Short mmCIF file of all heavy atoms in Angstrom, two decimals:
data_model
loop_
_atom_site.label_atom_id
_atom_site.label_comp_id
_atom_site.label_asym_id
_atom_site.label_seq_id
_atom_site.Cartn_x
_atom_site.Cartn_y
_atom_site.Cartn_z
N PHE A 107 -86.52 35.99 102.10
CA PHE A 107 -86.29 36.13 103.54
C PHE A 107 -86.61 37.55 104.00
O PHE A 107 -87.31 37.77 104.99
CB PHE A 107 -84.84 35.77 103.87
CG PHE A 107 -84.49 35.94 105.33
CD1 PHE A 107 -85.03 35.09 106.28
CD2 PHE A 107 -83.63 36.95 105.74
CE1 PHE A 107 -84.72 35.23 107.63
CE2 PHE A 107 -83.33 37.10 107.08
CZ PHE A 107 -83.88 36.24 108.03
N LEU A 108 -86.11 38.54 103.22
CA LEU A 108 -86.35 39.94 103.57
C LEU A 108 -87.85 40.24 103.54
O LEU A 108 -88.37 40.96 104.39
CB LEU A 108 -85.60 40.88 102.62
CG LEU A 108 -84.07 40.82 102.70
CD1 LEU A 108 -83.43 41.81 101.73
CD2 LEU A 108 -83.59 41.14 104.12
N MET A 109 -88.55 39.67 102.53
CA MET A 109 -89.98 39.90 102.41
C MET A 109 -90.70 39.32 103.63
O MET A 109 -91.59 39.95 104.21
CB MET A 109 -90.52 39.25 101.14
CG MET A 109 -91.04 40.26 100.14
SD MET A 109 -91.12 39.54 98.51
CE MET A 109 -92.35 38.29 98.72
N LEU A 110 -90.28 38.12 104.02
CA LEU A 110 -90.90 37.48 105.19
C LEU A 110 -90.72 38.33 106.43
O LEU A 110 -91.65 38.50 107.23
CB LEU A 110 -90.28 36.09 105.42
CG LEU A 110 -90.76 34.99 104.47
CD1 LEU A 110 -89.95 33.72 104.69
CD2 LEU A 110 -92.25 34.72 104.67
N VAL A 111 -89.48 38.90 106.56
CA VAL A 111 -89.21 39.75 107.72
C VAL A 111 -90.13 40.97 107.70
O VAL A 111 -90.75 41.33 108.70
CB VAL A 111 -87.72 40.21 107.74
CG1 VAL A 111 -87.51 41.26 108.82
CG2 VAL A 111 -86.82 39.01 107.99
N ALA A 112 -90.24 41.59 106.50
CA ALA A 112 -91.07 42.79 106.36
C ALA A 112 -92.52 42.46 106.69
O ALA A 112 -93.19 43.20 107.43
CB ALA A 112 -90.95 43.35 104.95
N VAL A 113 -93.01 41.33 106.14
CA VAL A 113 -94.40 40.94 106.39
C VAL A 113 -94.61 40.68 107.89
O VAL A 113 -95.61 41.12 108.48
CB VAL A 113 -94.76 39.67 105.57
CG1 VAL A 113 -96.09 39.08 106.04
CG2 VAL A 113 -94.84 40.03 104.09
N ALA A 114 -93.63 40.02 108.50
CA ALA A 114 -93.74 39.69 109.92
C ALA A 114 -93.80 40.98 110.74
O ALA A 114 -94.66 41.13 111.62
CB ALA A 114 -92.56 38.84 110.36
N VAL A 115 -92.91 41.92 110.43
CA VAL A 115 -92.87 43.19 111.18
C VAL A 115 -94.17 43.95 110.96
O VAL A 115 -94.80 44.45 111.90
CB VAL A 115 -91.64 44.04 110.75
CG1 VAL A 115 -91.74 45.43 111.35
CG2 VAL A 115 -90.36 43.36 111.18
N GLY A 116 -94.59 44.03 109.68
CA GLY A 116 -95.82 44.75 109.34
C GLY A 116 -97.01 44.12 110.04
O GLY A 116 -97.84 44.80 110.63
N GLY A 117 -97.08 42.78 109.98
CA GLY A 117 -98.18 42.03 110.57
C GLY A 117 -98.27 42.26 112.07
O GLY A 117 -99.35 42.46 112.62
N TYR A 118 -97.09 42.31 112.67
CA TYR A 118 -97.01 42.51 114.12
C TYR A 118 -97.68 43.83 114.50
O TYR A 118 -98.54 43.90 115.37
CB TYR A 118 -95.55 42.50 114.56
CG TYR A 118 -95.32 42.87 116.01
CD1 TYR A 118 -95.48 41.93 117.01
CD2 TYR A 118 -94.96 44.18 116.35
CE1 TYR A 118 -95.29 42.28 118.33
CE2 TYR A 118 -94.77 44.52 117.67
CZ TYR A 118 -94.93 43.58 118.67
OH TYR A 118 -94.73 43.93 119.97
N PHE A 119 -97.29 44.91 113.76
CA PHE A 119 -97.82 46.23 114.11
C PHE A 119 -99.29 46.35 113.73
O PHE A 119 -100.07 46.98 114.42
CB PHE A 119 -96.98 47.33 113.46
CG PHE A 119 -95.69 47.56 114.20
CD1 PHE A 119 -94.47 47.22 113.62
CD2 PHE A 119 -95.70 48.07 115.49
CE1 PHE A 119 -93.29 47.42 114.30
CE2 PHE A 119 -94.52 48.27 116.18
CZ PHE A 119 -93.32 47.94 115.59
N ARG A 120 -99.66 45.73 112.59
CA ARG A 120 -101.06 45.79 112.18
C ARG A 120 -101.93 45.14 113.26
O ARG A 120 -102.93 45.69 113.69
CB ARG A 120 -101.24 45.07 110.84
CG ARG A 120 -102.68 45.07 110.34
CD ARG A 120 -102.75 44.47 108.96
NE ARG A 120 -102.29 45.40 107.93
CZ ARG A 120 -103.10 46.29 107.36
NH1 ARG A 120 -104.37 46.36 107.70
NH2 ARG A 120 -102.63 47.10 106.43
N TYR A 121 -101.47 43.98 113.74
CA TYR A 121 -102.21 43.26 114.77
C TYR A 121 -102.38 44.15 116.00
O TYR A 121 -103.46 44.31 116.53
CB TYR A 121 -101.48 41.97 115.13
CG TYR A 121 -102.05 41.27 116.33
CD1 TYR A 121 -103.23 40.52 116.23
CD2 TYR A 121 -101.43 41.39 117.58
CE1 TYR A 121 -103.76 39.89 117.33
CE2 TYR A 121 -101.98 40.76 118.69
CZ TYR A 121 -103.14 40.01 118.57
OH TYR A 121 -103.66 39.40 119.68
#
Side-chain angles (χ1 to χ4, degrees):
Chain A
F107 178 69
L108 294 181
M109 245 160 65
L110 283 173
V111 171
V113 168
V115 170
Y118 172 82
F119 283 111
R120 179 174 283 274
Y121 171 77

